[in-house]
């Protein structure tokens, strides 16, 4: 039997917003930093996705604050994502450690994979334990979008990692 998580919805949304804003900042810095034009473009696209999710979160925070109700856009209502299917540092100091001058594109991808995987876990937990059906739908949608970013990062990893191994041989 699953027990419901007793969490203030606004607190959970603000935590989610913080995660997306941190992801946005990381991806912009990674795009600026990487020397590979394809990698830079990929990081900018991921920043754009994090920005869209931040806007959704901000709108939901506003709806709950002003109207005490969830106001879900159509994309959220149509989401039928499977939370059971597993996906493959959150502070400025961790970001600086990962994006040090001698860091590689692979280092940035690995950092992003870890962060997005953590975010996925957070959204999936919220979706599974929220007592409000609208909240479950909203967090399921965020998990789906985060999973899409994980898929992009895994493709990036698979494209970069073999080159690193070849250089080390």
């Amino acid at each position: 039997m699953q027990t419901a998580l007793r969490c203030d919805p606004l607190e959970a949304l603000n935590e989610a917003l913080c995660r997306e804003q941190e992801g946005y900042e990381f991806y912009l810095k990674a795009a600026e930093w990487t020397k590979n034009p394809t990698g830079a473009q990929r990081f900018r696209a991921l920043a754009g996705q994090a920005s869209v999710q931040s806007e959704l979160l901000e709108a939901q925070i506003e709806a709950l604050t002003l109207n005490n109700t969830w106001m879900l856009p159509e994309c959220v209502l149509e989401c039928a994502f499977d939370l059971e299917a597993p996906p493959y540092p959150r502070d400025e100091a961790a970001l600086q450690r990962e994006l040090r001058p001698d860091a590689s594109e692979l280092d940035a991808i690995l950092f992003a994979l870890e962060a997005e995987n953590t975010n996925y876990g957070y959204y999936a937990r919220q979706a599974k334990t929220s007592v409000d059906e609208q909240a479950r739908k909203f967090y399921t949608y965020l998990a789906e979008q985060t999973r899409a970013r994980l898929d992009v990062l895994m493709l990036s990893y698979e494209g970069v990692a073999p080159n690193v191994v070849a250089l080390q041989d």
Side-chain angles (χ1 to χ4, degrees):
M1 178 178 192
Q2 192 176 35
T3 58
L5 179 67
R6 301 293 178 212
C7 183
D8 174 24
L10 285 173
E11 183 179 315
L13 287 168
N14 279 302
E15 171 69 18
L17 179 59
C18 180
R19 290 170 182 268
E20 292 301 326
Q21 289 172 335
E22 288 170 349
Y24 174 79
E25 291 298 323
F26 170 79
Y27 290 130
L28 284 183
K29 287 179 182 178
E32 220 173 81
W33 164 84
T34 189
K35 293 176 178 76
N36 178 333
T38 302
Q41 181 181 5
R42 189 173 300 117
F43 284 128
R44 281 191 296 276
L46 291 167
Q49 291 172 4
S51 178
V52 168
Q53 282 194 209
S54 290
E55 290 172 9
L56 280 171
L57 285 158
E58 288 169 343
Q60 191 55 65
I61 289 168
E62 183 178 337
L64 276 176
T65 301
L66 297 177
N67 305 321
N68 199 30
T69 187
W70 291 83
M71 303 293 283
L72 304 181
E74 196 65 32
C75 61
V76 172
L77 294 172
E78 293 174 354
C79 178
F81 183 66
D82 179 7
L83 291 168
E84 298 304 320
Y88 319 138
R90 296 196 42 213
D91 60 14
E92 184 65 25
L95 177 62
Q96 293 307 318
R97 279 193 306 276
E98 293 302 320
L99 290 181
R100 61 193 188 281
D102 64 332
S104 67
E105 183 178 356
L106 182 59
D107 293 327
I109 291 169
L110 290 172
F111 178 84
L113 278 167
E114 182 180 342
E116 291 291 3
N117 197 47
T118 300
N119 291 348
Y120 177 85
Y122 179 78
Y123 298 146
R125 252 187 334 278
Q126 291 296 326
K128 291 176 184 179
T129 60
S130 292
V131 293
D132 186 291
E133 178 63 24
Q134 299 292 309
R136 283 194 299 276
K137 286 180 185 278
F138 190 74
Y139 285 110
T140 297
Y141 176 79
L142 291 176
E144 176 190 48
Q145 296 302 303
T146 302
R147 175 61 187 264
R149 289 199 303 259
L150 278 166
D151 290 344
V152 168
L153 287 163
M154 279 305 296
L155 288 172
S156 300
Y157 173 79
E158 291 166 358
V160 171
N163 296 333
V164 173
V165 172
L167 290 174
Q168 292 175 347
D169 289 343

